[in-house]
Amino acid sequence: MKTLINLRRAAFAYLLLALMTSPLIRLEAQTRRTGTVAANRPAAAQPKCSGAWTGTITYTRTQSMTDNKTVERVSGRGRDERNFEMKYDYKAQVAVVESPERNGSSLGRGTVTHSFSSIDATKATEKNSCDRGKTWRDMSGTFKSETKTTGSATVEANVSIGVNNDGTYSVSVGLPQIQGQTTGTETSSFSGQCQPKEGKNLSMPATTTTIDGNSLSSDGSHRVDPSDPNRLSGTFSQTFQNVTETITWSLQKCGAPLRLTDLRFEDMKYPNWNDWQEISEQKGTIDGNLVRIKAKVLNASGETKFADVKLKETYKGDRWDGSRSDAELKDAESSIRLEPGEEREVEFVWDSSGYAWFDDGRPRLLQRIKAELAENGKKVDEMTKNLKVAPKPVVLVHGLWSNWKAWEPWQNILTTSHSYDWKAFPVGEKPEKGAMNTGGAFLSTDRTNSIFENSQHLGKYIRYAQEDRNAWHVDIVAHSMGGLISRHYIHHFMPPVEDGRPQVAHLVMLGTPNMGSPCADVMNTTFEFLGKDVEAVRQLRQDVAAEFNRVVTNRKGVKFSVLAGDPLPVMCKTYVWNDGVVPVPSAKWVIKDNAISKNIHTELTGTADFSSFVKPRLAVGPKGNHNPEVPTASELPGLAELRDNPMPQGELFSVAASGPSSILGDLLPAVAEQPFAKAVKIAAKGSLEVEIPVEAASNFGITFMALPSVSATLMNERGTVIAKNLAGTPQANAWFRSLFIETAVQAGTWKLKLENTSDLEAEAILTVWSNAVR
């Protein structure tokens, strides 16, 4: 009985609250239609304008209350925790149409939706004893009362538009009562009582109730625009205590009976697919996002109308392309029927891929979308709005012996190439979002992460970039080992996207050792001979790269491109064009989209290679290919046997493999055990000479690793200088610095003079080789 009384009290409380509140008009969801219905209807003669205002008025009223508190019980042995929440939402969308008498007056027709909910939950807890104080325990009871009232209806609304002689005007709307339904529930449960007590669940059946109407007038402070006196648009809002009322209007005198009243853009909030949100003109959206375009059409006449809505991109007002004709957007046309006074919304989903750029690579800073409305094949109205489409964020992945600072100039490069809306995200700039460890400083023997570990951090940073820019797709530019880390992420961790396109649209690699480096084979043996463990060099070995390529094969539709540097003709017993670290064949691997640069390895991230190679692959206009890459044979089913027993992912590039690979064939022959290896330290601003044993051979080479501040000069047994690699030259920035004598040499002892031009002590690691084979 007590429960029923409480339920009635809750219902009564709602009825009191309903006296304070009011309903809303709901926009009816549009049923999209195709065809040419409008074209089959005869044109109706348009009556002379009576001076009536027509258009739309939107009214909303919202209210919310919460009360959460804890009260100690009188006994002092417990407490009551109460949580109360009330929400009230009333909305109305009114179509303002000319009255049938055509005497200059207007009528309002619209839909109202109303929602009210009240939840009151209390949990009472008290310590009591069931054995006269020998033992104590918590006894509790939970009580919850919930009331809901909902309703919707199509109504006739009172509207009034009053324009004063001084140019001020006011707009008012009044909405009648509608019918709704109230439901309620009450539940209770108990625990810990000496005698078990059963809870209750009671429900109030749906009961018809009356939802009060609402009205609101603007304060009369709005003014008519003298340049367009036949249009009125504005908004007025007032708040009293916790109740907010708002009225918004868009009205026109002598407007077309059939016209567009609104054009809006929405995109999905990453990472929640189908979580649509309105796009602000200032922020815009990101290239590759799906955009939902909504156009509202009003029939302000007293008769049924048939209309066609079509979306176009328009260049009117563009600095360079203002004379170009409008272009229709794909699959963006619909036919609708509107009853007298009805307003309907037409919805299209548009693919924004490429619209940050023109097809010639110029930045497109603004996209203009135009909605055209036609009746019987004749255009009767149009509305244009701007939509900013920014390029996809660029995630920058550094390579060995590097960190995010290697990319510091790139935000400026992207800004000058498009705008500040083209954002760079160098991995590690915000370490809390993900930071890779690829070996620290040059020649460091510190522990590095495996590719498996680094690719997980890359994944975190990609997600951060997507969330920060609300981008469903990104591009990656990777230098050196960063390309292998990116390939590993794509193969193992890249998640699918519901639109069917890969999360990473394009992977652009700069000097990536996709098949390793012969100098890594040579220098890794040298380091081991000297008792040094330089993991960064070991990761570049050809056999380690071969194992990586055996496992990492799936590109998942990501476009791959690679730039290889070829300023140097030979490296480490190998005649092969290279960038000082990576041979051209190793960088190109099996990637069809490749190109050559004359820059050395560490300079491939410069402005010149960005302009000639990177930008053309990222700045792809609407007519470019934005579809996923077609899988290659190595990505298709049937090669699963290659991956049945792969190296454990966590150990990729972190365990030694035995013997060099022949993956580059005759270009990169196996290297014999080194006959000579040496590590020296050079004092600041100092120099020293190292004796170099030379055996008779068809050619001879020295490879050494040292900071760019170290100069190397090779002299034969007569003291004649025969080769140099000097500080301050581009060659000094290479990791593997070589001095090569292409002609036959005689046995003897030569000298290598090392000079340190810096103010700090420097280290050099060197080895020799001979008989390089073409």
Side-chain angles (χ1 to χ4, degrees):
M1 186 65 174
K2 181 179 178 180
T3 303
L4 289 174
I5 291 173
N6 289 338
L7 188 57
R8 290 178 184 135
R9 285 177 179 170
F12 179 67
Y14 163 70
L15 293 176
L16 288 177
L17 180 64
L19 295 176
M20 300 168 55
T21 52
S22 59
L24 142 82
I25 292 189
R26 178 175 58 85
L27 273 175
E28 289 191 55
Q30 147 116 20
T31 303
R32 292 181 59 185
R33 301 175 52 197
T34 58
T36 55
V37 177
N40 297 327
R41 292 293 187 273
Q46 299 299 326
K48 185 178 179 181
C49 170
S50 68
W53 292 100
T54 59
T56 60
I57 298 176
T58 303
Y59 170 84
T60 63
R61 178 170 179 155
T62 60
Q63 183 180 12
S64 64
M65 296 174 60
T66 59
D67 183 18
N68 304 311
K69 61 184 178 181
T70 300
V71 178
E72 296 296 323
R73 297 182 71 83
V74 176
S75 66
R77 300 193 305 272
R79 61 185 181 274
D80 292 344
E81 300 175 21
R82 185 191 183 217
N83 295 287
F84 172 77
E85 182 180 26
M86 182 276 290
K87 290 183 179 180
Y88 177 90
D89 191 9
Y90 181 98
K91 299 180 182 178
Q93 181 77 25
V94 179
V96 181
V97 299
E98 183 180 17
S99 64
E101 295 80 11
R102 294 193 172 92
N103 58 4
S105 61
S106 303
L107 300 176
R109 296 170 180 166
T111 7
V112 175
T113 58
H114 167 273
S115 173
F116 166 85
S117 65
S118 172
I119 301 175
D120 193 348
T122 301
K123 182 178 181 180
T125 304
E126 186 171 42
K127 282 191 176 294
N128 280 310
S129 175
C130 297
D131 53 8
R132 299 184 180 182
K134 294 180 181 179
T135 60
W136 295 79
R137 60 182 174 181
D138 286 340
M139 299 182 184
S140 64
T142 301
F143 312 91
K144 184 177 181 181
S145 174
E146 184 172 1
T147 303
K148 290 183 179 180
T149 297
T150 58
S152 63
T154 301
V155 299
E156 298 291 326
N158 293 322
V159 296
S160 175
I161 301 96
V163 181
N164 303 316
N165 292 333
D166 63 355
T168 61
Y169 70 92
S170 62
V171 178
S172 64
V173 63
L175 299 153
Q177 296 179 337
I178 64 172
Q179 296 298 305
Q181 287 190 331
T182 299
T183 60
T185 61
E186 274 202 358
T187 61
S188 61
S189 61
F190 305 91
S191 64
Q193 280 73 17
C194 298
Q195 296 293 327
K197 188 174 181 180
E198 184 179 354
K200 296 182 179 180
N201 290 282
L202 299 177
S203 297
M204 175 194 295
T207 304
T208 301
T209 188
T210 299
I211 299 172
D212 286 346
N214 281 295
S215 64
L216 182 64
S217 298
S218 65
D219 61 0
S221 64
H222 292 79
R223 288 187 171 274
V224 175
D225 181 358
S227 64
D228 194 3
N230 287 333
R231 289 182 184 271
L232 303 177
S233 61
T235 186
F236 171 74
S237 183
Q238 64 181 19
T239 299
F240 176 73
Q241 294 181 346
N242 61 342
V243 178
T244 299
E245 291 182 288
T246 302
I247 182 174
T248 303
W249 59 90
S250 177
L251 302 166
Q252 186 175 355
K253 183 185 290 186
C254 299
L258 193 63
R259 63 177 181 265
L260 293 160
T261 59
D262 194 20
L263 182 63
R264 290 185 291 121
F265 308 119
E266 298 177 345
D267 61 7
M268 286 180 274
K269 184 175 177 59
Y270 179 84
N272 304 317
W273 192 257
N274 275 330
D275 183 5
W276 295 94
Q277 59 183 358
E278 188 165 358
I279 301 171
S280 67
E281 185 171 339
Q282 295 76 20
K283 186 176 181 181
T285 191
I286 301 297
D287 193 316
N289 287 356
L290 294 180
V291 175
R292 186 160 67 180
I293 304 175
K294 292 183 174 181
K296 286 184 180 178
V297 183
L298 171 67
N299 178 9
S301 73
E303 58 187 27
T304 301
K305 293 281 187 179
F306 296 85
D308 296 316
V309 181
K310 183 181 297 184
L311 295 182
K312 296 181 177 181
E313 57 173 319
T314 179
Y315 303 93
K316 185 178 181 181
D318 185 83
R319 178 181 178 184
W320 302 105
D321 296 88
S323 61
R324 290 176 61 179
S325 58
D326 296 342
E328 294 185 9
L329 297 182
K330 184 179 180 181
D331 299 326
E333 184 174 0
S334 181
S335 299
I336 56 174
R337 167 180 171 150
L338 299 100
E339 299 303 323
E342 182 182 11
E343 184 179 49
R344 298 185 69 180
E345 190 169 68
V346 185
E347 178 182 305
F348 306 95
V349 176
W350 173 63
D351 182 2
S352 69
S353 294
Y355 281 89
W357 306 94
F358 287 103
D359 289 305
D360 58 7
R362 287 179 295 122
R364 185 190 298 223
L365 302 180
L366 204 61
Q367 175 66 28
R368 294 170 173 84
I369 302 293
K370 180 169 72 174
E372 287 187 351
L373 181 66
E375 183 180 15
N376 297 315
K378 180 180 179 181
K379 185 173 73 173
V380 295
D381 199 10
E382 66 179 40
M383 182 176 288
T384 301
K385 279 198 172 182
N386 296 333
L387 175 63
K388 182 168 67 175
V389 181
K392 289 184 286 292
V394 182
V395 179
L396 302 170
V397 189
H398 63 78
L400 291 174
W401 288 319
S402 186
N403 56 46
W404 72 270
K405 291 186 177 181
W407 303 103
E408 277 189 299
W410 273 61
Q411 182 56 69
N412 186 56
I413 292 174
L414 298 185
T415 299
T416 55
S417 299
H418 186 279
S419 67
Y420 193 62
D421 287 316
W422 197 7
K423 295 294 187 182
F425 288 84
V427 179
E429 181 181 20
K430 294 184 181 294
E432 69 276 11
K433 304 297 183 181
M436 304 186 305
N437 177 2
T438 57
F442 180 63
L443 290 180
S444 169
T445 58
D446 294 342
R447 178 194 177 276
T448 66
N449 286 348
S450 67
I451 282 188
F452 177 85
E453 292 169 318
N454 281 326
S455 70
Q456 289 178 307
H457 284 282
L458 170 58
K460 293 177 183 177
Y461 221 82
I462 290 174
R463 185 178 180 89
Y464 155 62
Q466 290 181 280
E467 291 173 344
D468 184 81
R469 298 295 290 154
N470 196 54
W472 285 88
H473 303 278
V474 303
D475 290 317
I476 292 180
V477 177
H479 180 237
S480 189
M481 182 63 70
L484 300 180
I485 295 169
S486 302
R487 285 177 50 199
H488 184 277
Y489 168 76
I490 291 167
H491 175 99
H492 286 290
F493 299 124
M494 187 180 75
V497 181
E498 285 82 347
D499 63 7
R501 291 175 178 165
Q503 177 198 39
V504 178
H506 207 137
L507 169 60
V508 179
M509 292 176 277
L510 308 175
T512 292
N514 285 300
M515 292 193 291
S517 169
C519 278
D521 293 339
V522 169
M523 293 307 297
N524 184 71
T525 302
T526 301
F527 281 122
E528 290 178 350
F529 182 81
L530 295 171
K532 293 177 176 286
D533 181 13
V534 184
E535 176 64 16
V537 172
R538 196 200 64 76
Q539 290 186 1
L540 285 174
R541 275 173 33 184
Q542 297 171 86
D543 53 342
V544 179
E547 176 61 22
F548 179 86
N549 290 330
R550 187 179 76 87
V551 176
V552 179
T553 59
N554 196 344
R555 301 184 188 180
K556 297 181 180 177
V558 178
K559 292 180 172 66
F560 278 24
S561 302
V562 66
L563 180 66
D566 75 341
L568 306 174
V570 66
M571 68 185 311
C572 298
K573 204 176 182 179
T574 307
Y575 278 94
V576 60
W577 289 100
N578 67 91
D579 63 9
V581 177
V582 182
V584 169
S586 175
K588 288 184 175 181
W589 186 39
V590 294
I591 298 171
K592 295 179 180 178
D593 181 26
N594 61 74
I596 297 296
S597 168
K598 291 303 178 183
N599 288 318
I600 66 169
H601 188 77
T602 52
E603 295 179 349
L604 293 174
T605 58
T607 304
D609 287 323
F610 169 84
S611 299
S612 63
F613 184 78
V614 178
K615 183 186 173 185
R617 284 152 180 81
L618 303 186
V620 181
K623 294 182 180 178
N625 181 10
H626 299 277
N627 295 320
E629 195 73 25
V630 177
T632 62
S634 62
E635 299 174 70
L636 298 173
L639 292 180
E641 66 277 2
L642 294 179
R643 298 185 290 272
D644 285 343
N645 299 294
M647 181 181 293
Q649 291 181 0
E651 298 179 7
L652 276 173
F653 273 59
S654 62
V655 297
S658 58
S661 166
S662 60
I663 194 162
L664 293 181
D666 293 337
L667 285 174
L668 304 181
V671 179
E673 187 171 340
Q674 306 304 311
F676 176 80
K678 197 169 186 66
V680 297
K681 292 188 181 295
I682 314 158
K685 299 294 185 180
S687 65
L688 59 81
E689 291 185 350
V690 180
E691 290 188 346
I692 305 295
V694 179
E695 296 181 358
S698 60
N699 51 50
F700 176 77
I702 297 177
T703 295
F704 68 101
M705 300 183 73
L707 291 173
S709 59
V710 174
S711 289
T713 303
L714 181 62
M715 298 169 286
N716 62 18
E717 66 275 0
R718 295 184 299 274
T720 305
V721 175
I722 55 176
K724 293 182 179 181
N725 189 302
L726 302 180
T729 63
Q731 291 76 14
N733 291 315
W735 293 348
F736 305 118
R737 301 166 65 178
S738 293
L739 299 170
F740 180 58
I741 309 304
E742 191 170 5
T743 59
V745 297
Q746 301 297 319
T749 301
W750 293 3
K751 289 184 178 181
L752 179 69
K753 184 178 181 180
L754 299 172
E755 297 175 275
N756 182 8
T757 64
S758 77
D759 295 324
L760 299 174
E761 183 181 65
E763 182 181 20
I765 310 294
L766 56 127
T767 189
V768 300
W769 40 271
S770 57
N771 295 322
V773 180
R774 291 186 179 275

